[in-house]
Amino acid sequence: MNQNFLPKPLTRKFFQQPTLIMAKSLLGCLLIKETEEGTTSGFIVETEAYIGPEDRAAHSFGNRRTKRTEVMFGEAGYAYTYTMHTHCLLNVVSGELDKPEAILIRAVEPYSGIDLMFERRKIDKLKNLTSGPGKLTKAMGICMEDYGHPLFKQPLYIAEGYEPETISEGKRIGIHNTGEAKEYPWRFWVTGNQFVSK
DNA sequence: CGAAAGATTATCT
DNA sequence: GATAATCTTTCGC
């Protein structure tokens, strides 16, 4: 619980990087969520980029602007939460204003508040705690209420973490019937990390 | 207002 | 691999 590590929230400047560069820069950063029950945090170890107009797999494909994708057209650095079946997913909006780009946080490595995460997930294996986009949001208490929240301010924010030694890249997961979009190598993860989903 | 689809997860074959 | 669970958004009538 009481780490000596003082998280330094990322600055707006960090979010001004091109989407694909930022997807890699986010690896190793610390994602923090503060709630009444306690604070949970984890290092981001897996991300996926979704670049609107040219990406058939993105909700914003063809510049489709709806109530749901609205935040993606806004300024970078905001949270785009989205309900999928029985789960919630967390994205970081990237790209310039009016460019519907975002980065999906697919997995994190638990850092603090691990007891609370176990309580929420009701499982007993550390490895399954946050090794997936829907798992980590449940473990950290992230939901639709966080839609549009700036990720450089409490209670939900991203801070500087560590520098990953090696980064791998490959095809995205969980999308199909989207033509060649599923072939784009826009998934990035920390090489060898056991919390990366598969 | 009703229906269908979806960037997932857990479980069974 | 295939499928059910189950919620919000979006689109059609």
Side-chain angles (χ1 to χ4, degrees):
Chain A
M1 286 280 264
N2 295 320
Q3 268 83 14
N4 293 322
F5 182 72
L6 274 183
K8 244 200 290 183
L10 296 177
T11 61
R12 279 168 184 269
K13 196 171 180 182
F14 177 90
F15 297 107
Q16 288 167 5
Q17 301 178 87
T19 299
L20 291 177
I21 305 293
M22 195 172 116
K24 283 186 271 196
S25 302
L26 278 172
L27 295 176
C29 288
L30 194 59
L31 176 66
I32 302 155
K33 166 81 181 191
E34 300 174 355
T35 69
E36 293 178 358
E37 303 169 281
T39 299
T40 52
S41 68
F43 294 107
I44 297 169
V45 297
E46 184 180 2
T47 60
E48 264 182 23
Y50 285 87
I51 302 184
E54 53 188 277
D55 183 359
R56 294 182 62 88
H59 294 151
S60 51
F61 172 66
N63 278 319
R64 253 169 59 71
R65 187 173 192 147
T66 64
K67 185 183 172 187
R68 182 175 60 170
T69 60
E70 178 66 33
V71 71
M72 274 203 274
F73 289 83
E75 204 176 329
Y78 286 76
Y80 169 41
T81 50
Y82 159 76
T83 306
M84 179 64 186
H85 291 77
T86 57
H87 305 278
C88 201
L89 277 60
L90 173 67
N91 294 251
V92 180
V93 175
S94 60
E96 300 166 23
L97 206 59
D98 292 328
K99 299 276 176 61
E101 304 178 5
I103 298 164
L104 169 68
I105 309 297
R106 283 197 63 87
V108 302
E109 176 179 344
Y111 175 62
S112 70
I114 295 179
D115 288 345
L116 184 53
M117 293 197 222
F118 271 119
E119 206 174 303
R120 285 174 175 149
R121 291 272 293 129
K122 295 193 187 343
I123 56 170
D124 52 7
K125 286 191 191 129
L126 178 69
K127 224 173 99 179
N128 290 333
L129 210 50
T130 56
S131 55
K135 299 179 191 174
L136 74 92
T137 52
K138 184 169 186 191
M140 299 187 68
I142 297 168
C143 60
M144 283 307 287
E145 289 176 20
D146 296 302
Y147 180 92
H149 179 84
L151 290 168
F152 35 82
K153 280 176 17 185
Q154 296 175 330
L156 173 65
Y157 59 103
I158 299 175
E160 288 179 18
Y162 66 94
E163 285 284 324
E165 289 180 22
T166 319
I167 293 173
S168 301
E169 62 178 63
K171 292 190 285 189
R172 290 177 295 183
I173 293 179
I175 53 180
H176 60 96
N177 295 332
T178 48
E180 42 179 55
K182 64 182 178 192
E183 304 293 333
Y184 299 160
W186 288 351
R187 183 166 77 102
F188 307 96
W189 68 93
V190 177
T191 308
N193 188 288
Q194 61 175 326
F195 292 97
V196 172
S197 66
K198 200 165 183 191

